[in-house]
Amino acid sequence: MLKEKDNQLSIYSILYDKIPENHTLKLLRDEVDFSFINKMLEKTYCKEYGRPAKEPELMVKILVLQKLYDLSDEKVIENCSLNLAYMYFLGINPEDDLPHPSLLTKFRKSRLEGNLTIDEIIIEIINQCIEKGILQKVSGITIDSTHTEANTKKYRPERVMKQLAKKIFKTVKEENGEIPSEINQEIPDYKEIENHDEARKTMKSYLEETVSKVEELVELEKAPETKALVNNAKEILADPKFIEQRGVRSIVDQEARIGYKSKNDPFFGYKTEFMMTTEDRIITAVHTGNGAYVDGTKFDELLELTKKTRIKIPEVYGDKAYFKKPILDKISELKAKAYIPVSEAAYRIDEERFSYNKDSDEWFCSQGNKTIKKKHYIRKCGKETYNYYFDREQCRNCPMREVCITGKTVGKVLGIGINTPEFYEYSQQQKSEGFKEKYKKRACQEGKNGEMKNFHGLDRAKWYGLKSMGLQAKLTALAVNLKRIAAILSSKRRIISKHLSFLLISMVKSTIYRKFI
């Protein structure tokens, strides 16, 4: 159960006066109210029974410190017992007891596992700072994703199947007392098979036979761990991506996947997508997917979370991966301006040869010929296209005919995607100097990604699985947000201090001048 928070200061609290006024943690403690966390999580605790629990506010603050300074569970508790600034931020007295490091793991899993709680904390803190005038109420937003390496190695499918077989044998022995003699425990040596495809087929056949025998000879209802392992093995083998090396690559972390930082630069792990303000560089929403996650898939969800911060959004920035019709339409619904470069995958018009007039809905070629009609087609795959037809007579006598037209076709037919006319307008807007100058704002996203990976541990997963990775990413976002808020507060205090110093000097000079007169 939750106990009443003790606000009584001890005689040792005077030591907090030694903390500099502009220290990050002192600024945060003085300006940001974290008490809402207790109310947010009070329903997850029993009100009347059990030992008094550590306050959720305290636990979340410890997790923030852990991410802020990239510490382990043991190290953050050790530092909290020694560092005055840490104690002041936590709101405890120097002699107070701190939770055991193992309690941090329990708190993360039992109270924060859903991850939505961290989203709510991020939103509430941003709202507080907007109301106090610390953060700007109107700001553009930028979106990007960054990769995180899994906390395990990736293995070939044949190695994964060997590990699964070994784990099944070990679990059967522990739960059943012995392994039935009918089960073949001689795992094939796939390394001796030169052909990798053949090695995978051999290992797959062996594992399928092993699973079948275990189901036949072991009472799985009395062996729950064996049953779970068998079902897990069947699920992995049933995935066609597994043998193609695009599925499970580690039995320790089965949700990590292969992704690509660039065309020839793969990684094994997860991708985290952030939405962030361009003015104050505050993260408003976070989503984590496996390494194969496609950028922009959760754009709507991230935007809805950002809206809850009550920030007005006049502009949206992104890279080419976000140049998609649904995303552009969503931005248009916001009545915001999209600063997203055209993607060659979505828009393939050679603008040196063709131009478009949206008012007349006509395409023009570089030789002055124009389209005279268009037809709408729906292919068998469901994809919609337009065919624009140029005037035959002009094409017949055109000097570029041999370059432009192949085969027996008389007039040029321009086949385009259904969204190409609209994308043409975006393409023209992006050639302006104004667009290029504005787009420079997106660079703040790259800096934030680097900060989280280089200084706050987001370069590598701390735990296993998608939920744990999502929690790590959101706690990191919360920590860097608080760090940024402290920096803004410190900057504003310096400006105020300079103004006061200037006024004081002016008053002194004025007094001296009047005295001499």
Side-chain angles (χ1 to χ4, degrees), residues 468-480:
S468 295
M469 184 62 235
L471 181 58
Q472 179 183 343
K474 291 181 181 184
L475 283 170
T476 304
L478 175 59
V480 295

Side-chain angles (χ1 to χ4, degrees), residues 54-151:
K54 294 294 183 182
E55 298 85 359
E57 177 186 347
L58 172 69
M59 300 300 290
V60 170
K61 281 183 173 181
I62 293 174
L63 293 177
V64 166
L65 289 172
Q66 183 179 38
K67 289 301 166 193
L68 204 54
Y69 299 105
D70 195 19
L71 303 170
S72 65
D73 288 354
E74 293 77 11
K75 200 68 180 175
V76 73
I77 295 299
E78 180 185 332
N79 285 10
C80 286
S81 66
L82 299 172
N83 192 305
L84 285 174
Y86 285 27
M87 296 176 198
Y88 184 78
F89 176 69
L90 296 176
I92 61 174
N93 291 314
E95 72 275 18
D96 287 349
D97 292 330
L98 287 162
H100 191 273
S102 62
L103 192 58
L104 292 177
T105 301
K106 185 177 180 181
F107 180 78
R108 278 191 295 259
K109 288 187 175 181
S110 61
R111 313 297 178 192
L112 302 178
E113 195 172 89
N115 294 337
L116 183 60
T117 305
I118 305 298
D119 288 326
E120 293 168 346
I121 293 172
I122 290 172
I123 290 166
E124 176 60 29
I125 288 175
I126 293 173
N127 283 333
Q128 275 187 37
C129 292
I130 289 174
E131 288 172 7
K132 292 181 178 181
I134 300 169
L135 301 178
Q136 296 188 35
K137 191 172 184 179
V138 180
S139 177
I141 59 168
T142 174
I143 183 170
D144 197 13
S145 64
T146 189
H147 73 282
T148 301
E149 295 285 347
N151 193 14

Side-chain angles (χ1 to χ4, degrees), residues 211-259:
V211 167
S212 178
K213 285 288 185 182
V214 169
E215 286 183 312
E216 179 186 341
L217 301 170
V218 178
E219 294 185 56
L220 296 181
E221 295 305 322
K222 295 181 180 179
E225 290 187 22
T226 302
K227 183 178 180 180
L229 268 176
V230 165
N231 290 337
N232 182 225
K234 289 168 70 176
E235 185 181 338
I236 291 172
L237 291 171
D239 182 6
K241 293 180 181 178
F242 172 63
I243 296 297
E244 299 298 323
Q245 301 191 82
R246 291 181 287 116
V248 174
R249 298 294 297 272
S250 167
I251 62 171
V252 176
D253 190 346
Q254 296 188 14
E255 293 181 304
R257 291 290 183 273
I258 295 288

